[in-house]
Amino acid sequence: MEQNLVKVKVWDIPTRVFHWGMLCLLAGLWWTADAGEMEWHQILAYGLMVLIGVRLIWGFIGSDTAKFSHFVRSPKTVLNYLGKTKREGISTSLGHNPVGGYMVVTLITLICVQLGTGLFATDEIFTEGPLYGLVSSDTASWLTWLHKKNFDLILILAAVHVLAVGVHMIKGDKILGAMFSGYKKLPESKVAGVNADDLAFASVIKAVVIAAVIGALVVNYLMLPVIDML
């Protein structure tokens, strides 16, 4: 028998801006590195730094579904979820499912590593990270190597993420549309026991203030010196 669907707000605007902004910036970073446009590569990296900074803070003081405490579950919970999925198939969920939560944390961690190593990296021709002079040339070379290899890992995980989204879409969990609109249509049985109306969504103004503060620091200390060289 066909179940009634309930429209539920799942994602706030800051979370959706982070998701699509990160996607666009990673694509731009890939292209600029490949094309040798290193000044623009740095500018895009600093833009991503602002996004990541906001997302990390939002993971503690933002909307319920954006908080790490909402989707980072114990390994036992993840294993139970995988077992249930194997038996019953993919089901819809409020926010990230337990496996998706681990993917989010892993991607954010790898991007932080990418941004951190980039500050010390060098192309050994024209471009150096702003903190290059604080380490030895051998250390800078190693961090540059890690910067390149880590990005390959980010691309692999991004491909896995896209594949997982495709599988969920085929199985009826319309997670892609929800990341555009912020809403998911869930069966009433899935919402039962979890009052979606009780989900708290933080003010967008709070996210704007956080972004403005982080953005001002990044622009002043990191981005402007690169812009002056364009």
Side-chain angles (χ1 to χ4, degrees), residues 2-224:
E2 202 172 304
Q3 299 186 65
N4 292 327
L5 297 179
V6 180
K7 188 176 181 179
V8 177
K9 184 176 181 180
V10 177
W11 302 119
D12 59 19
I13 292 175
T15 302
R16 285 179 277 153
V17 169
F18 166 76
H19 181 274
W20 296 114
M22 182 182 66
L23 177 64
C24 293
L25 286 171
L26 285 175
L29 286 163
W30 187 9
W31 180 83
T32 51
D34 190 57
E37 297 287 346
M38 299 312 296
E39 288 84 5
W40 285 107
H41 184 78
Q42 287 181 301
I43 289 173
L44 293 180
Y46 298 146
L48 182 57
M49 188 178 291
V50 174
L51 274 185
I52 287 293
V54 174
R55 183 63 184 92
L56 288 173
I57 295 174
W58 204 243
F60 295 98
I61 66 172
S63 303
D64 284 350
T65 52
K67 289 181 178 178
F68 297 121
S69 59
H70 186 269
F71 59 80
V72 178
R73 313 292 177 81
S74 68
K76 181 179 179 181
T77 300
V78 174
L79 291 175
N80 289 339
Y81 172 80
L82 289 173
K84 181 180 178 182
T85 299
K86 185 177 181 180
R87 293 191 306 270
E88 303 175 11
I90 292 174
S91 59
T92 55
S93 60
L94 281 171
H96 295 295
N97 63 50
V99 176
Y102 273 66
M103 174 63 80
V104 170
V105 172
T106 301
L107 278 171
I108 289 178
T109 300
L110 289 177
I111 290 174
C112 288
V113 170
Q114 191 69 10
L115 293 170
T117 55
L119 295 173
F120 300 90
T122 175
D123 64 359
E124 298 182 346
I125 303 175
F126 299 112
T127 308
E128 297 171 348
L131 302 183
Y132 171 78
L134 298 180
V135 297
S136 66
S137 59
D138 287 342
T139 300
S141 295
W142 180 78
L143 289 171
T144 301
W145 173 86
L146 180 59
H147 187 71
K148 295 176 180 178
K149 295 301 179 182
N150 187 67
F151 192 71
D152 291 338
L153 186 55
I154 290 174
L155 291 178
I156 292 171
L157 284 182
V160 172
H161 178 65
V162 170
L163 178 62
V165 169
V167 171
H168 275 258
M169 294 291 290
I170 292 172
K171 297 297 183 178
D173 187 8
K174 308 300 183 181
I175 57 179
L176 186 61
M179 196 51 77
F180 280 108
S181 68
Y183 291 85
K184 291 180 80 171
K185 288 186 177 180
L186 301 174
E188 286 182 329
S189 61
K190 298 296 182 183
V191 181
V194 180
N195 191 347
D197 292 333
D198 288 341
L199 289 175
F201 290 89
S203 171
V204 175
I205 296 176
K206 184 193 294 187
V208 172
V209 171
I210 296 170
V213 173
I214 296 176
L217 293 171
V218 170
V219 168
N220 185 61
Y221 291 103
L222 296 174
M223 199 175 288
L224 283 179

